[in-house]
Amino acid sequence: MPRPRATEAPEPPAFDPRVHRPLPRAFYDRPALAVARDLLGRVLVRRERGVTLAARLVEVEAYRGADDPASHAYRGPTARNAVMFGPPGRAYVYFTYGMHHCVNVVCRERGRAEAVLLRGAAPLLGLARMRSRRGGAADAALLRGPGCLARSFGLTREHDGEDLTRGGVWIADAPPVREGRRVRRGPRIGIRVAVERPWRLWLEGHPCVSGPRRLAAAPERAKPR
DNA sequence: GTAGGGATACACT
DNA sequence: GTGTATCCCTACT
């Protein structure tokens, strides 16, 4: 359908699951921090029993392997984290705290474990199904936080190792849409080691970013100690 | 602030 | 094999 003539910079094309394709494997075959930055504003998609779920990523965290003590891969491969050591472009889904699943995308070549944790997203399509899974949460909170994101999308350990380049669960090749928001960086959440590495990235001020609200708005103002 | 809940990793028999 | 501290969290007070 026609869109109004742009008077300044043209708008990127809106996401359309019939038009856009999964990002190619080469996208993921890079350092996790670079992939993390490029994921902000992209659309996560799942086609599920005739329903398309889609959400725009607004918060992610990069994890590395042997040199990152906060990473599941730090101590080498195990049954749980095996997917992280496999080829890039797959989903690493793990279960934690007895009740939550978290979704990562695997980066770098086989044998080199790096990944990006998907922490927050803004719902675009399939909101009815997401709401049914989240029992009364506000729309902005449906996918806020890694556990909520996994739950709204219905992703579990069954999806560990899912190939993101095939079209079941995938991230679209539509250009990132960031609504003019700046990309911010800060320490990762929920870890107690390597907190000095600012490998959490998010879109400034977005309502679907997790963590304390003041962090989402103004990380540099964090008070000195 | 903390209860909730189960898998995981690792130390130790 | 068993014991147990920990865990990339959420929802509640």
Side-chain angles (χ1 to χ4, degrees):
Chain A
M1 65 182 192
R3 51 174 58 243
R5 182 192 304 276
T7 53
E8 298 173 10
E11 286 274 314
F15 165 71
D16 183 337
R18 297 163 303 179
V19 170
H20 292 106
R21 306 262 56 96
L23 285 166
R25 199 170 309 283
F27 177 89
Y28 301 99
D29 191 6
R30 297 182 293 150
L33 193 57
V35 173
R37 173 171 280 272
D38 282 354
L39 283 176
L40 288 176
R42 304 253 186 196
V43 179
L44 174 69
V45 189
R46 180 179 182 202
R47 193 171 295 276
E48 182 199 9
R49 302 196 306 273
V51 175
T52 298
L53 307 179
R56 197 173 301 286
L57 298 169
V58 299
E59 181 189 2
V60 296
E61 284 178 355
Y63 285 87
R64 294 212 302 223
D67 65 340
D68 182 4
S71 171
H72 284 176
Y74 182 57
R75 295 170 205 283
T78 67
R80 179 204 205 188
N81 67 19
V83 170
M84 272 189 82
F85 289 84
R90 293 178 184 257
Y92 166 46
V93 184
Y94 64 85
F95 186 67
T96 192
Y97 291 102
M99 58 194 89
H100 303 301
H101 292 275
C102 296
V103 182
N104 302 255
V105 302
V106 174
C107 304
R108 289 279 198 158
E109 71 275 14
R110 182 188 297 270
R112 183 141 175 190
E114 299 198 14
V116 177
L117 171 66
L118 309 183
R119 289 196 55 95
L124 296 178
L125 299 175
L127 273 72
R129 178 148 306 174
M130 296 181 194
R131 292 184 190 117
S132 73
R133 287 182 167 134
R134 293 277 289 112
D139 285 356
L142 286 173
L143 305 141
R144 188 163 63 205
C148 295
L149 188 154
R151 186 167 171 196
S152 284
F153 264 72
L155 298 175
T156 68
R157 282 288 280 173
E158 288 181 21
H159 303 274
D160 187 45
E162 180 112 356
D163 190 338
L164 301 173
T165 67
R166 288 185 178 273
V169 180
W170 47 289
I171 297 169
D173 62 0
V177 172
R178 294 173 180 165
E179 304 170 358
R181 297 177 190 275
R182 284 191 290 174
V183 173
R184 310 298 297 204
R185 283 177 64 164
R188 294 170 291 184
I189 289 182
I191 59 171
R192 289 192 282 186
V193 293
V195 292
E196 75 284 0
R197 298 184 183 183
W199 291 350
R200 172 176 175 246
L201 295 95
W202 68 96
L203 296 184
E204 182 175 48
H206 198 288
C208 299
V209 172
S210 72
R213 305 285 80 202
R214 63 185 169 76
L215 284 181
E220 281 76 22
R221 300 286 169 75
K223 69 176 180 211
R225 354 178 289 118

